Amino acid sequence: MMHTYKVTGMSCMGCKASVENALNSLGPVTNVEVDLENSEATLEMTEHLSEGQLQEALTLAGLHYSISSEGNDTQAARHHHLEIKNGNGVFYCPMHCEGEKTYDEQVGCPVCGMDLVEQPDLKEGSEQKTYKDLLKKMKIAVAFALPVFIISMSEMIPSNPLFSIIDQEKWNWVQLALTIPVLYVCWMFFVRAWRSIITWNLNMFTLIGIGTGVAFLFSLAGLLFPDVFPDEFKSEAGTVHLYFEAAAVILTLVLLGQLLEARAHSQTSGAIKELLKLAPSEATLVIDGSDRVVSIHDIKVGDLLRVKPGDKIPVDGKLVEGQSSVDESMITGEPIPVEKMINDKVRSGTVNGNRSFVMVAEKVGSETLLSQIIKMVNDASRSRAPIQKLADTISKYFVPIVILVSVITFAVWAVFGPEPAYVYALVNAIAVLIIACPCALGLATPMAVMVGVGKGAKNGVLIKNAEALEAMNKVDVLITDKTGTITEGKPSVEKVFTVEGASTNELLQYIASVDLNSEHPLADAVVEYAKTQGCELKEVSDFEAVAGKGVIGKVVGKSIALGNTELMEQLDIVVSDELNSKVEAEQKLGKTVSYISVDGMAQGYVSIFDAIKATSKSAISLLIDKGMEVIMLTGDNQNTAKSVADELHLSDYQAECLPEDKLKFIKELQAEGKVVAMAGDGINDAPALAQADVGIAMGTGTDVAMESAQITLVKGDLQGIVKAKNLSTEVMKNIKQNLFFAFIYNVLGVPLAAGVLFPVFGILLSPMIAAAAMSFSSVSVISNSLRLRKVEIG
């Protein structure tokens, strides 16, 4: 029997192999195929296994998944979900070792061993608690490690004054007593090291655990059994050279590194926390003419809310009474307040100006734009960029190679080193283990992505995942729609022309009635115009929206068609030369013109004007200066398209495009090796947005377009694409800097710790200095990532 499971959390080939190995270990399972791209695992079994048995297999393999079943048991292939536990108090690894896997308590990552990070919350989060816990441990560690260090270093002072108090052997016992509390507060490092070894997820703590463990156990043996050690390990006083200070100081320095990282992590997620703070907790509900303050959680769609001067707008909706200016900078990144009139949209988290107004709630709770932004930023900051695969591949082999280098270092120093050869061998082998830092490699990409995504959100650029952020940097062609993307998307009817003998009001009534059923912005313009002219809209039957061409339907028994030349040709409607010439004249002025047909006869046209956004020209110019081709694909006619393209100096344009034409055009560019971004705002743009390497949706457009895109521009203009491009460039530059720092640090640090400079310069690296360098390497990567918060992206 075949069983298909949905597996969430896999992010690399290592995850795929782990799931396959864990499930293959079960007797009845004869074959396991894991589809990493679709996050699915198909199991072939001789007998059905319970969820408990599958759970146990995954748990024993160190994979913390939980299993739930869905579907009909009578189906040939049953579908299950292996999902990661989620909810409030959710923790994740900052290096995303297991993709989106999360935990419900702070247990430390089972792969890299690092402290987990809690998803941002308005309350005091785990990051702050972790920081306080580490700070407390740090104070204890310093209090005991410092005396150990002083006692050990005093041996280098001639006529050591401490020996006048008690002899060296007793001081060694004091060092042991002082080191034990340090081991106690740093015991978590050894737990992580042991866990990494038994699960074979070798990481930084494997090296720290081995290095400090060897130093401590060697010193303990030297203290308890000095006679078993050769003379070269002993001092002039006959006691064995001990390394309690190395163990204590190294652990303290590693703890310091963890402390600094915990503090830095809280800053990387600062953008999400700032967004969370935008959400108000209360609102003023208007009921029967009176005001009542209620919790924001009690607001329902359709409620009337009063927003007073200076108040945060509680939910998404539109004005129904009054007017004001609203500061939307916290969502769009634009500092100038926006004037709001009746029927204008307002968004949760933005701030009202100096006038009061009443609004109707249209989206509440998780449906508001602010909630969607927070979710998108949180998800994107935890996603993995393709460039991360390089670091993942290196990290997989890094720790075993370091351990091998440490063993070789010991052997070379033991055989060829000066006396005491074994002492040199031990110290340098420990230094190699301690200085290596795979965490710096692992943090290089996710830290930059987290800060970059937050930076984008504060500037009105919402990025769905890290892959889109990386791909945007490579884009060399931008495909853009016209209506609502280049233009305002707020078209207005300029005139309705009728042939001799036809009634203008009657035609307007017909086309407005049909357009009432359409979602297109041009249709909205016709309906609004008809209302201002006092037209009574009629019931429509047999309505159909013909993609890229127009609309048809029946009104009071008459067949009405409203659309472009292609629609007229499709319906075999003859258009007179006189009517055609008038339409072309309008089109050359940049107007969008639709023919009107009644019962198969062309009766006139409607001329609609949609102004070009003020930012479109400058944004297109900046993008072209950056080496991008900007091509407009529009369903509008040739004359109107040419007028817009000439005004904006576009690289190219194509008119009269159907949705399938846009899709085909993008595929052709991709076949030529181009990296294509597509910007659009309508349902008809969704296929092209999904096909493009980077889909960019206007936040003022439809939900379908935003769902199909990888990047959403809250303000909905092309200036946002300039910001997205600049942000992508800065993030990728930062990631490459981080990877360089991590690579060069390890490439230079490990040989230096091994003692390659000793034969020529007599330089050796103390394990304590190596520990300090290792601790600060990860902090330097995080600090470099934090610089992204200050870059200007436009």
Side-chain angles (χ1 to χ4, degrees):
M1 63 182 74
M2 299 290 291
H3 298 258
T4 301
Y5 295 82
K6 187 70 177 174
V7 184
T8 59
M10 295 188 299
S11 59
C12 63
M13 294 304 292
C15 300
K16 176 179 181 289
S18 297
V19 172
E20 287 177 343
N21 292 338
L23 297 177
N24 263 321
S25 67
L26 296 169
V29 178
T30 57
N31 186 48
V32 178
E33 292 185 7
V34 174
D35 183 344
L36 186 62
E37 182 177 349
N38 294 316
S39 299
E40 288 186 346
T42 302
L43 279 67
E44 188 171 346
M45 309 183 218
T46 56
E47 63 181 78
H48 179 63
L49 292 173
S50 69
E51 294 176 10
Q53 289 169 301
L54 296 174
Q55 178 69 70
E56 184 179 1
L58 293 172
T59 302
L60 289 174
L63 304 173
H64 301 276
Y65 297 103
S66 60
I67 302 175
S68 62
S69 302
E70 288 183 354
N72 191 333
D73 286 348
T74 63
Q75 294 175 345
R78 295 169 59 197
H79 290 265
H80 307 269
H81 284 273
L82 284 73
E83 299 189 15
I84 300 162
K85 293 179 180 178
N86 246 317
N88 259 344
V90 176
F91 302 85
Y92 65 93
C93 173
M95 288 167 61
H96 311 308
C97 298
E98 299 173 283
E100 296 183 2
K101 187 179 217 174
T102 56
Y103 302 85
D104 53 13
E105 60 180 331
Q106 172 60 280
V107 293
C109 176
V111 177
C112 70
M114 292 190 68
D115 284 323
L116 299 178
V117 177
E118 189 181 28
Q119 291 180 5
D121 194 0
L122 283 174
K123 302 173 185 177
E124 182 186 38
S126 177
E127 289 173 3
Q128 189 63 23
K129 293 175 184 175
T130 299
Y131 176 77
K132 289 181 178 179
D133 289 344
L134 289 173
L135 183 60
K136 181 179 178 180
K137 290 180 178 181
M138 185 67 196
K139 291 176 180 179
I140 296 172
V142 169
F144 287 94
L146 188 57
V148 176
F149 179 75
I150 293 172
I151 293 170
S152 176
M153 292 301 102
S154 69
E155 295 176 14
M156 303 174 64
I157 303 174
S159 302
N160 188 341
L162 294 181
F163 289 168
S164 63
I165 303 173
I166 54 176
D167 60 32
Q168 183 170 351
E169 185 176 357
K170 290 185 175 63
W171 278 120
N172 289 343
W173 283 97
V174 172
Q175 288 187 65
L176 170 62
L178 292 170
T179 301
I180 289 175
V182 179
L183 291 177
Y184 177 76
V185 297
C186 297
W187 188 247
M188 57 186 177
F189 299 152
F190 294 100
V191 172
R192 295 175 188 180
W194 175 247
R195 186 188 302 149
S196 72
I197 293 170
I198 61 175
T199 60
W200 206 241
N201 290 316
L202 305 182
N203 54 53
M204 175 182 78
F205 294 101
T206 314
L207 303 176
I208 293 168
I210 293 174
T212 56
V214 167
F216 179 78
L217 293 176
F218 173 87
S219 302
L220 185 62
L223 183 61
L224 298 175
F225 312 106
D227 294 339
V228 302
F229 288 84
D231 291 340
E232 65 179 338
F233 279 98
K234 297 179 180 178
S235 66
E236 294 180 0
T239 58
V240 177
H241 285 286
L242 305 182
Y243 297 97
F244 287 124
E245 92 287 349
V249 174
I250 288 169
L251 289 171
T252 302
L253 289 170
V254 173
L255 190 60
L256 175 62
Q258 297 290 291
L259 180 69
L260 295 175
E261 283 183 25
R263 186 171 184 176
H265 278 307
S266 64
Q267 297 178 52
T268 60
S269 58
I272 304 177
K273 291 176 181 175
E274 287 181 28
L275 287 170
L276 283 165
K277 291 176 183 176
L278 292 177
S281 58
E282 295 178 334
T284 302
L285 182 65
V286 180
I287 301 178
D288 298 328
S290 60
D291 293 354
R292 182 159 60 99
V293 176
V294 298
S295 167
I296 193 171
H297 303 296
D298 296 331
I299 299 173
K300 300 184 294 295
V301 173
D303 283 348
L304 294 178
L305 306 170
R306 188 179 307 281
V307 183
K308 299 175 182 178
D311 282 356
K312 289 181 180 178
I313 294 170
V315 294
D316 292 2
K318 66 180 179 182
L319 270 69
V320 294
E321 180 185 314
Q323 64 183 68
S324 187
S325 60
V326 176
D327 180 1
E328 298 183 333
S329 60
M330 60 289 299
I331 288 181
T332 65
E334 300 295 330
I336 301 173
V338 181
E339 290 296 324
K340 299 290 182 180
M341 312 292 286
I342 290 177
N343 290 328
D344 282 347
K345 302 286 186 179
V346 287
R347 295 159 170 162
S348 171
T350 56
V351 181
N352 185 24
N354 55 10
R355 281 171 286 180
S356 178
F357 62 83
V358 176
M359 62 175 286
V360 60
E362 294 183 327
K363 291 183 179 180
V364 301
S366 62
E367 297 299 315
T368 66
L369 177 65
L370 178 60
S371 296
Q372 292 174 1
I373 289 174
I374 292 168
K375 183 180 184 303
M376 186 179 289
V377 173
N378 196 35
D379 290 345
S381 65
R382 291 169 50 203
S383 62
R384 296 163 69 86
I387 197 172
Q388 176 73 13
K389 293 178 181 177
L390 172 64
D392 288 345
T393 302
I394 293 172
S395 297
K396 182 178 178 181
Y397 302 102
F398 184 83
V399 174
I401 290 173
V402 169
I403 293 173
L404 179 61
V405 170
S406 178
V407 172
I408 293 172
T409 298
F410 183 89
V412 169
W413 277 95
V415 175
F416 301 105
E419 294 299 330
Y422 281 99
V423 172
Y424 280 114
L426 179 65
V427 171
N428 290 321
I430 291 174
V432 168
L433 292 173
I434 298 301
I435 199 170
C437 189
C439 283
L441 282 171
L443 288 169
T445 299
M447 287 299 102
V449 168
M450 180 178 287
V451 179
V453 167
K455 175 76 175 180
K458 292 176 68 175
N459 285 270
V461 179
L462 307 182
I463 298 160
K464 185 173 286 186
N465 54 50
E467 186 176 357
L469 190 60
E470 181 173 339
M472 191 65 199
N473 186 52
K474 302 173 184 175
V475 167
D476 44 26
V477 179
L478 171 66
I479 305 296
T480 176
D481 181 38
K482 178 178 76 71
T483 305
T485 305
I486 287 177
T487 63
E488 291 285 355
K490 296 179 180 178
S492 58
V493 174
E494 292 218 332
K495 65 179 172 180
V496 176
F497 174 83
T498 58
V499 297
E500 188 175 350
S503 166
T504 302
N505 287 339
E506 193 173 68
L507 281 188
L508 180 58
Q509 182 186 54
Y510 292 158
I511 63 175
S513 297
V514 174
D515 269 340
L516 187 63
N517 297 273
S518 174
E519 53 78 36
H520 200 282
L522 299 181
D524 291 339
V526 172
V527 173
E528 288 300 317
Y529 180 72
K531 289 179 179 178
T532 63
Q533 300 300 308
C535 286
E536 181 185 353
L537 303 187
K538 301 293 185 179
E539 187 175 339
V540 177
S541 61
D542 299 334
F543 172 82
E544 181 183 351
V546 184
K549 297 180 182 179
V551 292
I552 57 178
K554 286 190 175 181
V555 182
V556 294
K558 296 181 181 293
S559 296
I560 308 300
L562 176 68
N564 56 21
T565 303
E566 284 74 18
L567 182 64
M568 298 298 107
E569 292 174 351
Q570 178 179 320
L571 300 176
D572 295 325
I573 296 169
V574 177
V575 180
S576 67
D577 291 340
E578 181 184 358
L579 188 58
N580 267 332
S581 63
K582 289 182 179 296
V583 166
E584 287 179 8
E586 290 287 318
Q587 290 172 341
K588 288 177 181 178
L589 296 174
K591 313 289 176 61
T592 297
V593 183
S594 295
Y595 292 96
I596 304 170
S597 163
V598 181
D599 286 336
M601 302 285 292
Q603 297 286 297
Y605 66 79
V606 57
S607 177
I608 299 174
F609 181 68
D610 189 9
I612 293 173
K613 292 177 183 176
T615 55
S616 292
K617 190 169 186 176
S618 60
I620 289 170
S621 177
L622 286 170
L623 292 170
I624 291 175
D625 289 345
K626 290 178 180 294
M628 291 176 65
E629 294 179 66
V630 182
I631 302 172
M632 180 180 71
L633 302 183
T634 177
D636 216 332
N637 65 87
Q638 181 71 24
N639 293 324
T640 303
K642 184 177 187 305
S643 172
V644 173
D646 289 345
E647 182 175 347
L648 297 177
H649 306 294
L650 296 174
S651 306
D652 198 2
Y653 73 94
Q654 285 195 12
E656 300 173 356
C657 290
L658 300 175
E660 54 265 33
D661 296 328
K662 296 181 181 182
L663 188 64
K664 181 182 176 183
F665 188 81
I666 291 174
K667 287 181 177 178
E668 289 173 353
L669 287 173
Q670 290 172 328
E672 296 172 8
K674 302 284 189 180
V675 180
V676 182
M678 165 72 190
D681 73 330
I683 291 175
N684 62 328
D685 295 321
L689 288 168
Q691 175 63 36
D693 296 284
V694 181
I696 304 172
M698 301 292 120
T700 50
T702 64
D703 291 341
V704 175
M706 287 185 270
E707 191 65 30
S708 303
Q710 289 83 44
I711 295 176
T712 298
L713 308 178
V714 175
K715 193 166 185 285
D717 65 32
L718 294 181
Q719 191 63 40
I721 299 179
V722 177
K723 292 180 180 180
K725 181 69 173 176
N726 290 339
L727 178 64
S728 176
T729 300
E730 291 296 333
V731 169
M732 293 311 300
K733 185 197 302 182
N734 192 274
I735 288 174
K736 290 171 183 176
Q737 290 169 349
N738 287 346
L739 287 172
F740 174 78
F741 292 153
F743 278 129
I744 202 69
Y745 167 83
N746 284 293
V747 166
L748 297 179
V750 171
L752 185 63
V756 295
L757 297 181
F758 184 79
V760 179
F761 300 103
I763 296 175
L764 287 177
L765 195 65
S766 161
M768 289 180 286
I769 297 176
M774 181 277 298
S775 295
F776 284 104
S777 62
S778 295
V779 177
S780 66
V781 166
I782 298 175
S783 299
N784 187 54
S785 300
L786 288 171
R787 291 194 307 108
L788 286 170
R789 297 189 302 177
K790 298 181 180 179
V791 300
E792 290 294 329
I793 61 173

